[in-house]
Amino acid sequence: MTEVLHALDVGDPEAALSAVERVYGGSGKVRRLVRTAVNGRPRTGSGRPRSAPGEMRAKVAGHLTAHPGTEFTPHEVAKVIGHSAGAVSNALDRLVETGEAELVNDRPRRFTTVRPAAAPASR
């Protein structure tokens, strides 16, 4: 690993990748991390950096919580946050599974933030 770090420090990305392949040939995660350090974050077809794991859900959840009580389709959220409707739909499905969002209508699919539970009445 020292060889990889030295190659990155002196600005020789090819040597860094070569060293990683020799040492960590079977570790996909390590190779991806070094490739990201050398080449930057992977890009989408439009040229923008690809979202990190969990980043899409955070963006979608942030949009929903910024507008409490408002219902959105995946397409509406996608237009605002600048991602595909399919990716937003997947993130919304995951947020529903984790209880962070609520599916309020099946056709068309509309989502909102989870309404807080009513406080129990005092006696």
Side-chain angles (χ1 to χ4, degrees):
M1 195 65 182
T2 307
E3 185 180 349
V4 173
L5 294 175
H6 176 70
L8 289 173
D9 285 341
V10 298
D12 190 357
E14 290 81 20
L17 287 173
S18 176
V20 165
E21 291 298 329
R22 278 194 313 275
V23 176
Y24 295 102
S27 175
K29 184 174 183 178
V30 171
R31 286 197 320 273
R32 282 191 302 276
L33 289 172
V34 171
R35 268 195 230 119
T36 299
V38 171
N39 302 323
R41 283 178 61 187
R43 302 267 172 190
T44 64
S46 65
R48 290 183 298 192
R50 189 174 303 277
S51 295
E55 187 177 350
M56 173 69 73
R57 280 195 307 267
K59 288 179 183 180
V60 173
H63 180 72
L64 292 178
T65 56
H67 308 321
T70 307
E71 300 173 2
F72 295 99
T73 65
H75 181 73
E76 291 168 337
V77 176
K79 287 193 316 188
V80 173
I81 67 171
H83 289 278
S84 72
V88 169
S89 181
N90 291 339
L92 284 165
D93 289 340
R94 182 70 179 133
L95 289 170
V96 168
E97 288 174 12
T98 61
E100 299 173 67
E102 182 178 0
L103 176 65
V104 292
N105 194 16
D106 283 332
R107 291 195 184 261
R109 289 174 14 117
R110 298 186 75 74
F111 299 84
T112 189
T113 56
V114 173
R115 295 179 185 99
S122 300
R123 290 186 183 196

